[in-house]
Amino acid sequence: LVELDINVTEELKEEGLARDIVRAIQQNRKDANLDVSNHIKIAFFSNNEMFLKVIKTYEDYLKEQTLTDEILIAQNSESVKNYAHHFQNKLEESELEIGINLVTFLS
């Protein structure tokens, strides 16, 4: 006999959303013809407070999974549009705008 707990806790929901955000970043990176090994800077904008909370809570995870050196939570959509690559993403019926800049290293 196996008993399953099918209740989705707030923590599990946030972890799932963090993974969805990673997938969106990686898809946006691919759409921008950036290599998966490129280091990037990201700006996010959304009216969904849960997205912003998850981005702050899981910032280190997002950076590690996507080789992101810097994350900015923008105050408005225009700030995100200033990035070299700008994408509209729909997650959980809400919009998440992602701006991506390539990090260049000087030698």
Side-chain angles (χ1 to χ4, degrees):
L1 182 65
V2 175
E3 184 178 329
L4 297 176
D5 182 0
I6 59 171
N7 294 321
V8 178
T9 65
E10 192 68 25
E11 182 179 354
L12 286 175
K13 185 175 180 179
E14 289 177 3
E15 286 178 21
L17 183 54
R19 284 192 282 282
D20 289 343
I21 293 170
V22 166
R23 280 190 288 278
I25 294 166
Q26 298 296 46
Q27 183 61 52
N28 293 165
R29 180 199 304 261
K30 181 180 177 185
D31 293 344
N33 294 319
L34 298 176
D35 193 272
V36 176
S37 64
N38 293 135
H39 282 252
I40 57 176
K41 294 180 184 178
I42 299 178
F44 293 102
F45 176 74
S46 180
N47 290 320
N48 185 316
E49 291 298 320
M50 173 66 96
F51 290 178
L52 304 179
K53 177 184 177 195
V54 167
I55 291 164
K56 288 176 186 172
T57 302
Y58 289 88
E59 181 175 355
D60 290 339
Y61 170 77
L62 297 173
K63 285 179 173 179
E64 176 186 314
Q65 295 297 309
T66 61
L67 291 181
T68 298
D69 292 352
E70 182 180 306
I71 290 179
L72 168 73
I73 297 178
Q75 298 299 313
N76 55 56
S77 182
E78 290 306 311
S79 297
V80 177
K81 290 177 183 170
N82 288 330
Y83 278 60
H85 308 282
H86 173 256
F87 300 93
Q88 297 276 86
N89 297 275
K90 190 156 191 118
L91 301 173
E92 296 189 4
E93 303 304 315
S94 292
E95 295 291 326
L96 177 65
E97 293 184 54
I98 299 176
I100 300 175
N101 277 344
L102 186 61
V103 173
T104 55
F105 296 101
L106 301 175
S107 48

PDB file of all heavy atoms in Angstrom, residues 60-90:
ATOM      1  N   ASP A  60      19.882  32.808  -6.750  1.00  0.00           N
ATOM      2  CA  ASP A  60      21.112  32.027  -6.907  1.00  0.00           C
ATOM      3  C   ASP A  60      20.882  30.819  -7.806  1.00  0.00           C
ATOM      4  O   ASP A  60      21.724  30.491  -8.653  1.00  0.00           O
ATOM      5  CB  ASP A  60      21.656  31.576  -5.549  1.00  0.00           C
ATOM      6  CG  ASP A  60      22.199  32.733  -4.731  1.00  0.00           C
ATOM      7  OD1 ASP A  60      22.536  33.786  -5.311  1.00  0.00           O
ATOM      8  OD2 ASP A  60      22.272  32.593  -3.491  1.00  0.00           O
ATOM      9  N   TYR A  61      19.761  30.149  -7.646  1.00  0.00           N
ATOM     10  CA  TYR A  61      19.415  28.996  -8.486  1.00  0.00           C
ATOM     11  C   TYR A  61      19.289  29.427  -9.941  1.00  0.00           C
ATOM     12  O   TYR A  61      19.834  28.771 -10.844  1.00  0.00           O
ATOM     13  CB  TYR A  61      18.111  28.369  -7.984  1.00  0.00           C
ATOM     14  CG  TYR A  61      17.536  27.324  -8.912  1.00  0.00           C
ATOM     15  CD1 TYR A  61      18.082  26.043  -8.974  1.00  0.00           C
ATOM     16  CD2 TYR A  61      16.439  27.619  -9.718  1.00  0.00           C
ATOM     17  CE1 TYR A  61      17.551  25.081  -9.824  1.00  0.00           C
ATOM     18  CE2 TYR A  61      15.907  26.664 -10.571  1.00  0.00           C
ATOM     19  CZ  TYR A  61      16.465  25.397 -10.620  1.00  0.00           C
ATOM     20  OH  TYR A  61      15.938  24.443 -11.463  1.00  0.00           O
ATOM     21  N   LEU A  62      18.570  30.524 -10.199  1.00  0.00           N
ATOM     22  CA  LEU A  62      18.400  31.016 -11.561  1.00  0.00           C
ATOM     23  C   LEU A  62      19.751  31.352 -12.184  1.00  0.00           C
ATOM     24  O   LEU A  62      20.015  31.008 -13.342  1.00  0.00           O
ATOM     25  CB  LEU A  62      17.488  32.247 -11.584  1.00  0.00           C
ATOM     26  CG  LEU A  62      16.048  32.044 -11.127  1.00  0.00           C
ATOM     27  CD1 LEU A  62      15.321  33.383 -11.042  1.00  0.00           C
ATOM     28  CD2 LEU A  62      15.309  31.087 -12.036  1.00  0.00           C
ATOM     29  N   LYS A  63      20.606  32.019 -11.419  1.00  0.00           N
ATOM     30  CA  LYS A  63      21.935  32.380 -11.925  1.00  0.00           C
ATOM     31  C   LYS A  63      22.751  31.133 -12.271  1.00  0.00           C
ATOM     32  O   LYS A  63      23.381  31.062 -13.323  1.00  0.00           O
ATOM     33  CB  LYS A  63      22.689  33.219 -10.894  1.00  0.00           C
ATOM     34  CG  LYS A  63      22.209  34.642 -10.787  1.00  0.00           C
ATOM     35  CD  LYS A  63      23.011  35.383  -9.729  1.00  0.00           C
ATOM     36  CE  LYS A  63      22.680  36.861  -9.693  1.00  0.00           C
ATOM     37  NZ  LYS A  63      23.465  37.549  -8.647  1.00  0.00           N
ATOM     38  N   GLU A  64      22.744  30.174 -11.370  1.00  0.00           N
ATOM     39  CA  GLU A  64      23.523  28.951 -11.566  1.00  0.00           C
ATOM     40  C   GLU A  64      23.042  28.164 -12.785  1.00  0.00           C
ATOM     41  O   GLU A  64      23.843  27.702 -13.595  1.00  0.00           O
ATOM     42  CB  GLU A  64      23.415  28.069 -10.313  1.00  0.00           C
ATOM     43  CG  GLU A  64      24.112  26.736 -10.439  1.00  0.00           C
ATOM     44  CD  GLU A  64      23.852  25.865  -9.226  1.00  0.00           C
ATOM     45  OE1 GLU A  64      23.956  26.373  -8.093  1.00  0.00           O
ATOM     46  OE2 GLU A  64      23.525  24.690  -9.426  1.00  0.00           O
ATOM     47  N   GLN A  65      21.744  28.037 -12.937  1.00  0.00           N
ATOM     48  CA  GLN A  65      21.183  27.230 -14.015  1.00  0.00           C
ATOM     49  C   GLN A  65      21.315  27.873 -15.388  1.00  0.00           C
ATOM     50  O   GLN A  65      21.253  27.177 -16.407  1.00  0.00           O
ATOM     51  CB  GLN A  65      19.708  26.930 -13.737  1.00  0.00           C
ATOM     52  CG  GLN A  65      19.469  26.067 -12.524  1.00  0.00           C
ATOM     53  CD  GLN A  65      20.081  24.684 -12.684  1.00  0.00           C
ATOM     54  OE1 GLN A  65      19.869  24.012 -13.675  1.00  0.00           O
ATOM     55  NE2 GLN A  65      20.864  24.273 -11.700  1.00  0.00           N
ATOM     56  N   THR A  66      21.481  29.193 -15.435  1.00  0.00           N
ATOM     57  CA  THR A  66      21.461  29.894 -16.723  1.00  0.00           C
ATOM     58  C   THR A  66      22.747  30.683 -17.007  1.00  0.00           C
ATOM     59  O   THR A  66      22.784  31.426 -17.984  1.00  0.00           O
ATOM     60  CB  THR A  66      20.261  30.862 -16.782  1.00  0.00           C
ATOM     61  OG1 THR A  66      20.386  31.840 -15.742  1.00  0.00           O
ATOM     62  CG2 THR A  66      18.945  30.125 -16.645  1.00  0.00           C
ATOM     63  N   LEU A  67      23.769  30.508 -16.182  1.00  0.00           N
ATOM     64  CA  LEU A  67      25.023  31.256 -16.310  1.00  0.00           C
ATOM     65  C   LEU A  67      24.767  32.763 -16.354  1.00  0.00           C
ATOM     66  O   LEU A  67      25.310  33.488 -17.176  1.00  0.00           O
ATOM     67  CB  LEU A  67      25.808  30.824 -17.547  1.00  0.00           C
ATOM     68  CG  LEU A  67      26.407  29.427 -17.505  1.00  0.00           C
ATOM     69  CD1 LEU A  67      27.173  29.140 -18.802  1.00  0.00           C
ATOM     70  CD2 LEU A  67      27.326  29.233 -16.311  1.00  0.00           C
ATOM     71  N   THR A  68      23.923  33.210 -15.442  1.00  0.00           N
ATOM     72  CA  THR A  68      23.595  34.635 -15.346  1.00  0.00           C
ATOM     73  C   THR A  68      24.479  35.277 -14.289  1.00  0.00           C
ATOM     74  O   THR A  68      24.567  34.796 -13.166  1.00  0.00           O
ATOM     75  CB  THR A  68      22.106  34.822 -14.991  1.00  0.00           C
ATOM     76  OG1 THR A  68      21.321  34.259 -16.038  1.00  0.00           O
ATOM     77  CG2 THR A  68      21.754  36.273 -14.815  1.00  0.00           C
ATOM     78  N   ASP A  69      25.127  36.369 -14.677  1.00  0.00           N
ATOM     79  CA  ASP A  69      26.007  37.079 -13.750  1.00  0.00           C
ATOM     80  C   ASP A  69      25.267  38.149 -12.958  1.00  0.00           C
ATOM     81  O   ASP A  69      25.692  38.518 -11.863  1.00  0.00           O
ATOM     82  CB  ASP A  69      27.162  37.732 -14.507  1.00  0.00           C
ATOM     83  CG  ASP A  69      28.115  36.702 -15.103  1.00  0.00           C
ATOM     84  OD1 ASP A  69      27.974  35.499 -14.815  1.00  0.00           O
ATOM     85  OD2 ASP A  69      29.012  37.103 -15.866  1.00  0.00           O
ATOM     86  N   GLU A  70      24.176  38.651 -13.517  1.00  0.00           N
ATOM     87  CA  GLU A  70      23.457  39.758 -12.875  1.00  0.00           C
ATOM     88  C   GLU A  70      21.967  39.669 -13.203  1.00  0.00           C
ATOM     89  O   GLU A  70      21.598  39.466 -14.358  1.00  0.00           O
ATOM     90  CB  GLU A  70      24.024  41.072 -13.406  1.00  0.00           C
ATOM     91  CG  GLU A  70      23.435  42.311 -12.817  1.00  0.00           C
ATOM     92  CD  GLU A  70      24.079  43.543 -13.442  1.00  0.00           C
ATOM     93  OE1 GLU A  70      25.326  43.648 -13.422  1.00  0.00           O
ATOM     94  OE2 GLU A  70      23.339  44.386 -13.962  1.00  0.00           O
ATOM     95  N   ILE A  71      21.146  39.839 -12.173  1.00  0.00           N
ATOM     96  CA  ILE A  71      19.694  39.861 -12.344  1.00  0.00           C
ATOM     97  C   ILE A  71      19.167  41.197 -11.858  1.00  0.00           C
ATOM     98  O   ILE A  71      19.498  41.649 -10.768  1.00  0.00           O
ATOM     99  CB  ILE A  71      19.011  38.710 -11.575  1.00  0.00           C
ATOM    100  CG1 ILE A  71      19.334  37.371 -12.243  1.00  0.00           C
ATOM    101  CG2 ILE A  71      17.509  38.930 -11.483  1.00  0.00           C
ATOM    102  CD1 ILE A  71      18.736  36.161 -11.543  1.00  0.00           C
ATOM    103  N   LEU A  72      18.333  41.809 -12.681  1.00  0.00           N
ATOM    104  CA  LEU A  72      17.678  43.066 -12.332  1.00  0.00           C
ATOM    105  C   LEU A  72      16.173  42.851 -12.404  1.00  0.00           C
ATOM    106  O   LEU A  72      15.669  42.298 -13.389  1.00  0.00           O
ATOM    107  CB  LEU A  72      18.074  44.166 -13.326  1.00  0.00           C
ATOM    108  CG  LEU A  72      17.252  45.459 -13.255  1.00  0.00           C
ATOM    109  CD1 LEU A  72      17.622  46.256 -12.017  1.00  0.00           C
ATOM    110  CD2 LEU A  72      17.448  46.288 -14.509  1.00  0.00           C
ATOM    111  N   ILE A  73      15.474  43.275 -11.364  1.00  0.00           N
ATOM    112  CA  ILE A  73      14.017  43.313 -11.424  1.00  0.00           C
ATOM    113  C   ILE A  73      13.655  44.743 -11.770  1.00  0.00           C
ATOM    114  O   ILE A  73      13.852  45.661 -10.977  1.00  0.00           O
ATOM    115  CB  ILE A  73      13.371  42.850 -10.109  1.00  0.00           C
ATOM    116  CG1 ILE A  73      13.741  41.376  -9.855  1.00  0.00           C
ATOM    117  CG2 ILE A  73      11.864  43.047 -10.162  1.00  0.00           C
ATOM    118  CD1 ILE A  73      13.220  40.798  -8.584  1.00  0.00           C
ATOM    119  N   ALA A  74      13.186  44.928 -12.989  1.00  0.00           N
ATOM    120  CA  ALA A  74      12.925  46.258 -13.527  1.00  0.00           C
ATOM    121  C   ALA A  74      11.636  46.843 -12.963  1.00  0.00           C
ATOM    122  O   ALA A  74      10.696  46.117 -12.639  1.00  0.00           O
ATOM    123  CB  ALA A  74      12.850  46.188 -15.049  1.00  0.00           C
ATOM    124  N   GLN A  75      11.605  48.153 -12.884  1.00  0.00           N
ATOM    125  CA  GLN A  75      10.431  48.868 -12.394  1.00  0.00           C
ATOM    126  C   GLN A  75       9.373  49.051 -13.476  1.00  0.00           C
ATOM    127  O   GLN A  75       8.214  49.317 -13.175  1.00  0.00           O
ATOM    128  CB  GLN A  75      10.837  50.242 -11.846  1.00  0.00           C
ATOM    129  CG  GLN A  75      11.787  50.155 -10.673  1.00  0.00           C
ATOM    130  CD  GLN A  75      11.170  49.417  -9.496  1.00  0.00           C
ATOM    131  OE1 GLN A  75      10.046  49.690  -9.114  1.00  0.00           O
ATOM    132  NE2 GLN A  75      11.903  48.476  -8.938  1.00  0.00           N
ATOM    133  N   ASN A  76       9.802  48.912 -14.734  1.00  0.00           N
ATOM    134  CA  ASN A  76       8.847  49.073 -15.837  1.00  0.00           C
ATOM    135  C   ASN A  76       9.335  48.294 -17.050  1.00  0.00           C
ATOM    136  O   ASN A  76      10.478  47.863 -17.121  1.00  0.00           O
ATOM    137  CB  ASN A  76       8.663  50.560 -16.186  1.00  0.00           C
ATOM    138  CG  ASN A  76       9.970  51.236 -16.497  1.00  0.00           C
ATOM    139  OD1 ASN A  76      10.719  50.806 -17.367  1.00  0.00           O
ATOM    140  ND2 ASN A  76      10.267  52.313 -15.764  1.00  0.00           N
ATOM    141  N   SER A  77       8.432  48.148 -17.991  1.00  0.00           N
ATOM    142  CA  SER A  77       8.711  47.384 -19.200  1.00  0.00           C
ATOM    143  C   SER A  77       9.795  48.032 -20.053  1.00  0.00           C
ATOM    144  O   SER A  77      10.586  47.343 -20.697  1.00  0.00           O
ATOM    145  CB  SER A  77       7.422  47.238 -20.003  1.00  0.00           C
ATOM    146  OG  SER A  77       7.630  46.477 -21.146  1.00  0.00           O
ATOM    147  N   GLU A  78       9.851  49.340 -20.059  1.00  0.00           N
ATOM    148  CA  GLU A  78      10.836  50.047 -20.886  1.00  0.00           C
ATOM    149  C   GLU A  78      12.266  49.688 -20.505  1.00  0.00           C
ATOM    150  O   GLU A  78      13.135  49.599 -21.367  1.00  0.00           O
ATOM    151  CB  GLU A  78      10.622  51.558 -20.801  1.00  0.00           C
ATOM    152  CG  GLU A  78       9.354  52.031 -21.481  1.00  0.00           C
ATOM    153  CD  GLU A  78       9.234  51.585 -22.936  1.00  0.00           C
ATOM    154  OE1 GLU A  78      10.211  51.769 -23.698  1.00  0.00           O
ATOM    155  OE2 GLU A  78       8.178  51.053 -23.299  1.00  0.00           O
ATOM    156  N   SER A  79      12.518  49.483 -19.226  1.00  0.00           N
ATOM    157  CA  SER A  79      13.864  49.109 -18.774  1.00  0.00           C
ATOM    158  C   SER A  79      14.301  47.779 -19.380  1.00  0.00           C
ATOM    159  O   SER A  79      15.446  47.603 -19.749  1.00  0.00           O
ATOM    160  CB  SER A  79      13.912  49.013 -17.255  1.00  0.00           C
ATOM    161  OG  SER A  79      13.648  50.261 -16.663  1.00  0.00           O
ATOM    162  N   VAL A  80      13.366  46.850 -19.480  1.00  0.00           N
ATOM    163  CA  VAL A  80      13.668  45.534 -20.047  1.00  0.00           C
ATOM    164  C   VAL A  80      13.905  45.651 -21.548  1.00  0.00           C
ATOM    165  O   VAL A  80      14.770  44.985 -22.111  1.00  0.00           O
ATOM    166  CB  VAL A  80      12.525  44.541 -19.740  1.00  0.00           C
ATOM    167  CG1 VAL A  80      12.776  43.194 -20.390  1.00  0.00           C
ATOM    168  CG2 VAL A  80      12.355  44.368 -18.232  1.00  0.00           C
ATOM    169  N   LYS A  81      13.159  46.528 -22.190  1.00  0.00           N
ATOM    170  CA  LYS A  81      13.293  46.704 -23.642  1.00  0.00           C
ATOM    171  C   LYS A  81      14.629  47.328 -24.028  1.00  0.00           C
ATOM    172  O   LYS A  81      15.024  47.264 -25.191  1.00  0.00           O
ATOM    173  CB  LYS A  81      12.135  47.543 -24.173  1.00  0.00           C
ATOM    174  CG  LYS A  81      10.824  46.797 -24.121  1.00  0.00           C
ATOM    175  CD  LYS A  81       9.664  47.649 -24.582  1.00  0.00           C
ATOM    176  CE  LYS A  81       8.377  46.844 -24.425  1.00  0.00           C
ATOM    177  NZ  LYS A  81       7.197  47.653 -24.634  1.00  0.00           N
ATOM    178  N   ASN A  82      15.359  47.891 -23.073  1.00  0.00           N
ATOM    179  CA  ASN A  82      16.682  48.449 -23.344  1.00  0.00           C
ATOM    180  C   ASN A  82      17.757  47.375 -23.478  1.00  0.00           C
ATOM    181  O   ASN A  82      18.874  47.669 -23.874  1.00  0.00           O
ATOM    182  CB  ASN A  82      17.082  49.451 -22.257  1.00  0.00           C
ATOM    183  CG  ASN A  82      16.283  50.739 -22.352  1.00  0.00           C
ATOM    184  OD1 ASN A  82      15.868  51.145 -23.433  1.00  0.00           O
ATOM    185  ND2 ASN A  82      16.058  51.366 -21.213  1.00  0.00           N
ATOM    186  N   TYR A  83      17.426  46.143 -23.118  1.00  0.00           N
ATOM    187  CA  TYR A  83      18.380  45.046 -23.250  1.00  0.00           C
ATOM    188  C   TYR A  83      18.457  44.625 -24.716  1.00  0.00           C
ATOM    189  O   TYR A  83      17.509  44.816 -25.483  1.00  0.00           O
ATOM    190  CB  TYR A  83      17.967  43.874 -22.360  1.00  0.00           C
ATOM    191  CG  TYR A  83      18.410  44.051 -20.917  1.00  0.00           C
ATOM    192  CD1 TYR A  83      17.971  45.131 -20.157  1.00  0.00           C
ATOM    193  CD2 TYR A  83      19.290  43.163 -20.326  1.00  0.00           C
ATOM    194  CE1 TYR A  83      18.393  45.307 -18.848  1.00  0.00           C
ATOM    195  CE2 TYR A  83      19.719  43.335 -19.016  1.00  0.00           C
ATOM    196  CZ  TYR A  83      19.265  44.411 -18.283  1.00  0.00           C
ATOM    197  OH  TYR A  83      19.694  44.584 -16.999  1.00  0.00           O
ATOM    198  N   ALA A  84      19.568  44.040 -25.117  1.00  0.00           N
ATOM    199  CA  ALA A  84      19.788  43.668 -26.514  1.00  0.00           C
ATOM    200  C   ALA A  84      18.715  42.708 -27.029  1.00  0.00           C
ATOM    201  O   ALA A  84      18.306  42.787 -28.183  1.00  0.00           O
ATOM    202  CB  ALA A  84      21.174  43.045 -26.676  1.00  0.00           C
ATOM    203  N   HIS A  85      18.250  41.813 -26.174  1.00  0.00           N
ATOM    204  CA  HIS A  85      17.237  40.834 -26.552  1.00  0.00           C
ATOM    205  C   HIS A  85      16.082  40.950 -25.565  1.00  0.00           C
ATOM    206  O   HIS A  85      16.288  40.895 -24.356  1.00  0.00           O
ATOM    207  CB  HIS A  85      17.818  39.419 -26.532  1.00  0.00           C
ATOM    208  CG  HIS A  85      19.081  39.297 -27.331  1.00  0.00           C
ATOM    209  ND1 HIS A  85      19.090  39.200 -28.700  1.00  0.00           N
ATOM    210  CD2 HIS A  85      20.381  39.306 -26.939  1.00  0.00           C
ATOM    211  CE1 HIS A  85      20.343  39.128 -29.123  1.00  0.00           C
ATOM    212  NE2 HIS A  85      21.145  39.195 -28.073  1.00  0.00           N
ATOM    213  N   HIS A  86      14.879  41.099 -26.081  1.00  0.00           N
ATOM    214  CA  HIS A  86      13.707  41.320 -25.245  1.00  0.00           C
ATOM    215  C   HIS A  86      12.628  40.313 -25.628  1.00  0.00           C
ATOM    216  O   HIS A  86      12.333  40.149 -26.808  1.00  0.00           O
ATOM    217  CB  HIS A  86      13.195  42.757 -25.439  1.00  0.00           C
ATOM    218  CG  HIS A  86      11.906  43.019 -24.752  1.00  0.00           C
ATOM    219  ND1 HIS A  86      10.717  43.091 -25.430  1.00  0.00           N
ATOM    220  CD2 HIS A  86      11.612  43.198 -23.448  1.00  0.00           C
ATOM    221  CE1 HIS A  86       9.745  43.316 -24.573  1.00  0.00           C
ATOM    222  NE2 HIS A  86      10.273  43.386 -23.360  1.00  0.00           N
ATOM    223  N   PHE A  87      12.038  39.653 -24.618  1.00  0.00           N
ATOM    224  CA  PHE A  87      11.048  38.612 -24.878  1.00  0.00           C
ATOM    225  C   PHE A  87       9.844  38.745 -23.957  1.00  0.00           C
ATOM    226  O   PHE A  87       9.993  39.092 -22.783  1.00  0.00           O
ATOM    227  CB  PHE A  87      11.665  37.221 -24.670  1.00  0.00           C
ATOM    228  CG  PHE A  87      12.833  36.962 -25.573  1.00  0.00           C
ATOM    229  CD1 PHE A  87      14.127  37.233 -25.150  1.00  0.00           C
ATOM    230  CD2 PHE A  87      12.641  36.476 -26.855  1.00  0.00           C
ATOM    231  CE1 PHE A  87      15.208  37.007 -25.980  1.00  0.00           C
ATOM    232  CE2 PHE A  87      13.717  36.253 -27.701  1.00  0.00           C
ATOM    233  CZ  PHE A  87      15.003  36.515 -27.262  1.00  0.00           C
ATOM    234  N   GLN A  88       8.677  38.453 -24.498  1.00  0.00           N
ATOM    235  CA  GLN A  88       7.433  38.356 -23.733  1.00  0.00           C
ATOM    236  C   GLN A  88       7.185  36.873 -23.503  1.00  0.00           C
ATOM    237  O   GLN A  88       7.157  36.100 -24.460  1.00  0.00           O
ATOM    238  CB  GLN A  88       6.264  38.929 -24.523  1.00  0.00           C
ATOM    239  CG  GLN A  88       6.375  40.398 -24.831  1.00  0.00           C
ATOM    240  CD  GLN A  88       5.890  41.228 -23.668  1.00  0.00           C
ATOM    241  OE1 GLN A  88       6.650  41.516 -22.765  1.00  0.00           O
ATOM    242  NE2 GLN A  88       4.645  41.606 -23.702  1.00  0.00           N
ATOM    243  N   ASN A  89       6.997  36.486 -22.256  1.00  0.00           N
ATOM    244  CA  ASN A  89       6.726  35.091 -21.923  1.00  0.00           C
ATOM    245  C   ASN A  89       5.413  35.010 -21.159  1.00  0.00           C
ATOM    246  O   ASN A  89       5.110  35.890 -20.351  1.00  0.00           O
ATOM    247  CB  ASN A  89       7.842  34.532 -21.033  1.00  0.00           C
ATOM    248  CG  ASN A  89       9.174  34.529 -21.740  1.00  0.00           C
ATOM    249  OD1 ASN A  89       9.487  33.609 -22.450  1.00  0.00           O
ATOM    250  ND2 ASN A  89       9.953  35.580 -21.546  1.00  0.00           N
ATOM    251  N   LYS A  90       4.663  33.956 -21.388  1.00  0.00           N
ATOM    252  CA  LYS A  90       3.427  33.743 -20.655  1.00  0.00           C
ATOM    253  C   LYS A  90       3.622  32.517 -19.767  1.00  0.00           C
ATOM    254  O   LYS A  90       3.853  31.414 -20.258  1.00  0.00           O
ATOM    255  CB  LYS A  90       2.256  33.538 -21.601  1.00  0.00           C
ATOM    256  CG  LYS A  90       0.940  33.555 -20.906  1.00  0.00           C
ATOM    257  CD  LYS A  90      -0.162  33.944 -21.870  1.00  0.00           C
ATOM    258  CE  LYS A  90      -1.411  34.219 -21.113  1.00  0.00           C
ATOM    259  NZ  LYS A  90      -1.890  35.557 -21.250  1.00  0.00           N
TER     260      LYS A  90
END
